[in-house]
Every structure is written in structure tokens, then in C-alpha cells.
Amino acid sequence: MRLSPFISEEKIQKRITEIGAELTDRFKGQTPVMVAVLKGSFMFYADLIRAVDTDITCDFCGLSSYHGASSTGDVKINLDLSRSIRDRHVIVVEDIVDTGLTMNFLKKHLESHKP
């Protein structure tokens, strides 16, 4: 099988710059927490935080709901946040959302910390 890019690197970088500008405008004068859901999002996350021109706090979380190539239906936290998000704006950076199971779990988990 021969694979080829679906979206060019240039288009991806252009969109990252646009998203960074949108986040800069939205959160200017604030310090939101940007959370990368590991491991899949870390490359995009690194590019995105460089494109945001306002103060942000970086954090990470690790979740798993897969065993091999199939979902177990049970989400587990492998790595939790390292700091409080109480009364803070939180920006979640995730790589793939398929069924929404993991994202729904993460949303409830983050909400329990009163962002």
C-alpha cells in the first residue's frame, strides 16, 4: 500500500497559525490552561502553543480506553493534571475523537475540578 498526504503540511501549519491567533484574541490578558491529551496530540500541541501569543499554562493528561485496536468501553486515567484548574479557562487538545467516550469522560473529570 502506498500512502500519500491527505492534507499538506503547509495547510496544517496555516490552520495552526489561524487557531493560535483565535486563541490569542480570545484569551488575551488571561492565562488559560492548555491540556494535551497524550500521547497522540503532543506534536500538534507543541506547534499550537508556539502559535499562541498570550500567557498560557501547559499541562498534560493521559487517558486510555483501547486495548490493541479496539475500545474496551472503559476509560482510565494514566496521567492526571499536575496543577489546579479551579476557576481557570481550560483548552483541551486531543488528536482523535471517534465515539466521544473518552472526551465525555475527560469533560466530566475536568468539570469535577471546577474550571
Side-chain angles (χ1 to χ4, degrees), residues 10 16-17 21 23 30 33 38 52 61 64 69 77 84 94 114:
E10 293 79 22
I16 289 170
T17 300
L23 292 172
Q30 302 172 56
V33 179
L38 297 175
V52 175
C61 69
S64 64
I77 298 173
S84 174
E94 170 66 298
K114 309 281 191 253

Side-chain angles (χ1 to χ4, degrees), residues 36-75:
V37 181
L38 297 175
K39 299 178 184 172
S41 69
F42 84 97
M43 296 294 285
F44 177 81
Y45 179 80
D47 288 343
L48 184 58
I49 61 175
R50 285 190 290 262
V52 175
D53 188 22
T54 192
D55 291 336
I56 59 171
T57 302
C58 297
D59 211 340
F60 303 89
C61 69
L63 304 170
S64 64
S65 65
Y66 279 79
H67 181 75
S70 58
S71 176
T72 64
D74 185 32
V75 181

